[in-house]
């Protein structure tokens, strides 16, 4: 399948900007909980009710979607996704985790850089029934969750 790009020509990728040290209220260095050679994980700036502390796992290379990712970057993202899910389960006291990844506008993709959502799940949290209810959270709200995951993951957190 030939990948079709939906990324605008002048797109300023928030994940690439974060790796370059360009920050704003939604992208802070303190959000980053792990960095590997090919992927990184950061606490998400948008949370759904009942699922605080969700994480995004992102390939370091700019790749728009699942259709275009290399096997090496795909494996790195999935390996880090698993580590994040285990750390989340251990540190948040959640009942489980869920992952999801979106491709193209019809697939609900709205950031044109592949990323995997890792959600803490709690009994009866209704995550999938609350799609329209997310809110942007402050860096200070994200910090507690990031600190706990960073300690549990014990991986580098800087983009070298």
């Amino acid at each position: 399948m030939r990948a079709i790009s939906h990324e605008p020509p002048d797109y300023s990728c928030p994940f690439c900007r974060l790796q370059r040290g360009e920050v704003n209220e939604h992208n802070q260095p303190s959000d980053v909980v792990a960095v590997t050679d090919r992927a990184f994980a950061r606490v998400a700036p948008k949370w759904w009710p009942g699922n605080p502390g969700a994480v995004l796992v992102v390939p370091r290379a700019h790749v728009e979607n699942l259709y275009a990712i290399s096997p090496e970057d795909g494996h790195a993202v999935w390996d880090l996704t698993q580590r994040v899910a285990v750390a989340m389960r251990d540190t948040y006291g959640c009942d489980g985790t869920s992952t999801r990844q979106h491709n193209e506008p019809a697939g609900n993709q709205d950031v044109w850089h592949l990323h995997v959502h890792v959600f803490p799940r709690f009994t009866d949290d209704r995550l999938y029934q609350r799609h329209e209810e997310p809110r942007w959270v402050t860096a200070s709200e994200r910090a507690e969750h990031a600190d706990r995951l960073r300690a549990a993951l014990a991986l580098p957190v800087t983009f070298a």
Side-chain angles (χ1 to χ4, degrees):
M1 173 179 187
R2 186 176 66 80
I4 297 172
S5 178
H6 296 278
E7 178 180 313
D10 59 346
Y11 186 64
S12 179
C13 176
F15 300 142
C16 292
R17 288 194 326 259
L18 180 61
Q19 291 185 81
R20 290 192 303 264
E22 299 173 26
V23 299
N24 62 36
E25 69 270 15
H26 300 308
N27 292 297
Q28 293 288 317
S30 58
D31 296 333
V32 178
V33 298
V35 177
T36 68
D37 288 343
R38 293 183 169 270
F40 72 96
R42 52 85 46 94
V43 172
K46 193 188 306 184
W47 293 355
W48 278 253
N51 307 94
V55 170
L56 304 176
V57 180
V58 184
R60 296 203 47 197
H62 183 80
V63 57
E64 183 173 332
N65 53 41
L66 186 63
Y67 315 126
I69 195 167
S70 72
E72 298 81 10
D73 287 338
H75 287 288
V77 167
W78 191 249
D79 290 347
L80 188 53
T81 297
Q82 180 187 29
R83 290 182 77 169
V84 166
V86 169
M88 185 178 282
R89 181 83 166 83
D90 291 346
T91 62
Y92 288 8
C94 52
D95 301 320
T97 62
S98 287
T99 60
R100 68 182 181 198
Q101 190 274 319
H102 307 280
N103 298 286
E104 301 185 275
N108 204 36
Q109 183 178 12
D110 61 0
V111 175
W112 308 116
H113 187 132
L114 182 137
H115 55 286
V116 176
H117 297 257
V118 184
F119 292 98
R121 297 301 306 272
F122 299 91
T123 302
D124 299 323
D125 65 18
R126 298 178 47 244
L127 172 65
Y128 295 113
Q129 289 78 38
R130 303 178 95 173
H131 179 73
E132 300 296 326
E133 299 178 36
R135 70 177 179 90
W136 293 100
V137 295
T138 66
S140 62
E141 288 176 281
R142 299 188 303 266
E144 176 200 347
H145 292 81
D147 291 344
R148 291 163 59 194
L149 286 174
R150 197 176 301 110
L153 289 163
L155 289 169
V157 295
T158 58
F159 300 105

